[in-house]
Amino acid sequence: MSHHLALRYTALTDVGLRRSNNQDSGYASSHLLLLADGMGGAAAGDLASSAAVTVIRRADSGTDDDALDRLSEAVDAANRRLGDLIEADPAVEGMGTTIEAMLWDGQRFAVAHLGDSRAYRLRDGELTQLSTDHTFVQSLVDEGRITPAEARYHPHRSLLLRAMLGRDDLEVDYSWLEPREGDRYLLCSDGLSDMVTDDLIAEALAADSIDVAATELVRLALEGGGADNVTVVIGEMVDARAEADSGLSCADGRPHLVGAAAEAPQPRISAEVDLHDSTASLAVDPEELRYAPRPPSRWRALWWAASILTVLLAIGAAGWLAYQWSQEQYFVSEDDGYVAIYRGVNVDLPLLTLKHLESVTDLDVDDLPSYQRDQIREGIEANSLDDAEQIVDDLRDEAAPESSPTPSPTVPTTTPSTAPAVVTQ
Ligand code: CA
């Protein structure tokens, strides 16, 4: 019975074998499992994931509000926080984070998913992936163009189609989940799922305790190459009346906070860093210094040039593939107040435009009923150009009579006006 269940929890992270800092953040408590995998450069990804976890974990302090409302409000607040940080320091523009969260209300979990971090459930020995990656390769899998096995080794498997970027177009998957006693839930960053197969994850997750499972999963990721930061947040549904196991790391009831959020990265520009204080600079991670205000050196300029070139090459390769795919898609939206057909997809990737104006109609968006108007502003997807044109025709039928092709002619006023004539000078 679900009302007799309690959540046991643990969280563990490791920087991995090739990265110099940890951009993942994780949090686990008796009511909230949360993970964020930051991106956007070594010294911004940690800020993004840390800020997101710091804001979203506030949903943990329970009120009687609906858990899904509470979670989505916290996610929205985290997104606004990222927007504020970017506005305050344009150097971190483009930073973002994935979000994986499960909020327990005593009966069910409210679940939020965004990006390529994953949620898995282990039930009766069977591992199920609960989340669907918001990635380019997943879209290829969905269309049947590549197999999940091919997606695993695809060179552009880390290209995200959705993430939390501090912008208005935030699009998160929300759902409810009914747990059962004995279920184990795993939230992980791609540093685990890229390195370790589902079979091995299932085996490790079934360990005697969730603490052993967490250690084993991280060990497997490092053994598999440790190419990225690896973070696991695990929850287990137990009988609430059962004796608490004093050997578990959650036995003291205190939340676990790991990764970047535990190190609390601060916004670089606004942070008061005293560069003349040698003890302070020793304590600062060299990666963080890249954002500290200091005179540029030739070495630094070279480093930047190499970094930018690498990024541009990566974007070039990934962008070409995405572009090929996107150019077979259409959607209907607006251009300068008029309904317009676009080729491509209505997705804004950092530094990458995937949409092009195909044609603009004479249909004024303001003449549409408000629901259709909102739809148009968000963009209506179409499977083909014909489909897009059909959508426009349908919209035309919905448009207000003023814009119908046969407007009633304006009748000149013949009755003399009693109002004083307006004289233009
Ligand atoms: Ca990652």
Side-chain angles (χ1 to χ4, degrees):
M1 297 278 285
S2 62
H3 55 272
H4 289 309
L5 294 180
L7 176 64
R8 289 190 180 155
Y9 56 91
T10 191
L12 190 64
T13 192
D14 195 284
V15 70
L17 303 176
R18 298 198 213 149
R19 295 278 163 90
S20 58
N21 78 339
N22 198 336
Q23 302 182 42
D24 288 354
S25 293
Y27 177 83
S29 74
S30 59
H31 286 82
L32 179 63
L33 307 175
L34 174 60
L35 182 142
D37 176 354
M39 67 202 75
D46 57 347
L47 177 62
S49 78
S50 166
V53 162
T54 303
V55 173
I56 296 172
R57 65 177 280 197
R58 290 183 204 143
D60 194 358
S61 36
T63 63
D64 290 335
D65 289 353
D66 177 271
L68 205 52
D69 287 348
R70 214 154 19 108
L71 184 58
S72 64
E73 278 162 23
V75 168
D76 287 345
N79 188 49
R80 286 195 299 274
R81 172 81 182 127
L82 254 59
D84 291 346
L85 287 169
I86 291 166
E87 199 176 303
D89 178 6
V92 298
E93 170 92 57
M95 76 171 178
T97 184
T98 71
I99 298 293
E100 213 61 45
M102 292 176 62
L103 181 61
W104 168 242
D105 71 357
Q107 303 274 336
R108 298 185 291 173
F109 281 104
V111 181
H113 163 66
L114 178 62
D116 66 351
S117 297
R118 289 183 176 173
Y120 289 95
R121 177 184 63 208
L122 184 71
R123 175 179 284 174
D124 302 328
E126 193 185 326
L127 188 77
T128 308
Q129 186 181 329
L130 303 172
S131 56
T132 305
D133 295 349
H134 296 143
T135 55
F136 172 61
V137 291
Q138 182 62 44
S139 69
L140 295 180
V141 171
D142 293 344
E143 289 176 12
R145 300 203 184 180
I146 61 172
T147 65
E150 285 165 340
R152 228 186 135 67
Y153 299 102
H154 198 283
H156 305 298
R157 63 183 177 277
S158 59
L159 182 67
L160 288 178
L161 294 182
R162 284 201 241 160
M164 177 181 281
L165 297 164
R167 301 192 311 211
D168 294 341
D169 56 356
L170 183 74
E171 201 185 336
V172 182
D173 291 349
Y174 290 108
S175 56
W176 285 106
L177 196 150
E178 304 271 352
R180 280 196 219 151
E181 186 178 341
D183 282 354
R184 281 186 180 179
Y185 294 93
L186 166 68
L187 310 184
C188 68
S189 58
D190 61 344
L192 177 76
S193 48
D194 267 4
M195 300 291 140
V196 185
T197 63
D198 282 6
D199 284 349
L200 282 173
I201 289 176
E203 201 177 309
L205 192 53
D208 285 348
S209 78
I210 52 175
D211 289 320
V212 172
T215 312
E216 180 62 6
L217 287 166
V218 169
R219 191 190 67 76
L220 286 170
L222 299 180
E223 197 179 81
D228 197 359
N229 308 140
V230 51
T231 304
V232 297
V233 176
I234 304 176
E236 178 179 31
M237 306 315 300
V238 297
D239 188 327
R241 296 159 305 183
E243 282 281 306
D245 182 346
S246 60
L248 285 176
S249 63
C250 66
D252 61 6
R254 298 221 303 249
H256 294 181
L257 182 65
V258 298
E263 292 153 23
Q266 298 298 314
R268 273 76 191 178
I269 297 294
S270 54
E272 289 180 19
V273 180
D274 184 358
L275 294 172
H276 304 292
D277 181 344
S278 58
T279 55
S281 57
L282 275 176
V284 174
D285 182 314
E287 295 278 8
E288 290 190 29
L289 276 178
R290 286 183 17 233
Y291 284 93
R294 57 173 189 166
S297 69
R298 196 176 303 173
W299 178 85
R300 224 158 74 90
L302 199 65
W303 188 93
W304 271 111
S307 304
I308 289 167
L309 189 66
T310 309
V311 168
L312 286 178
L313 286 172
I315 288 170
W320 182 81
L321 272 172
Y323 183 81
Q324 294 290 315
W325 167 77
S326 73
Q327 294 315 293
E328 290 156 37
Q329 320 290 317
Y330 289 88
F331 67 96
V332 181
S333 191
E334 73 169 325
D335 178 60
D336 202 21
Y338 288 90
V339 173
I341 296 176
Y342 288 83
R343 187 144 59 100
V345 286
N346 195 16
V347 171
D348 290 312
L349 293 174
L351 309 174
L352 204 64
T353 300
L354 294 180
K355 61 187 177 197
H356 301 277
L357 192 57
E358 178 83 13
S359 62
V360 184
T361 71
D362 59 355
L363 188 53
D364 193 328
V365 174
D366 287 334
D367 289 341
L368 294 171
S370 65
Y371 175 72
Q372 280 80 356
R373 208 154 55 211
D374 291 346
Q375 273 196 313
I376 278 294
R377 292 194 171 131
E378 285 192 7
I380 304 172
E381 286 173 26
N383 298 323
S384 63
L385 185 56
D386 284 350
D387 194 19
E389 282 165 351
Q390 183 61 50
I391 290 169
V392 172
D393 286 346
D394 292 347
L395 285 169
R396 210 181 280 285
D397 294 341
E398 309 264 11
E402 298 90 82
S403 73
S404 70
T406 51
S408 44
T410 321
V411 182
T413 314
T414 49
T415 44
S417 171
T418 51
V422 177
V423 181
T424 51
Q425 299 181 349

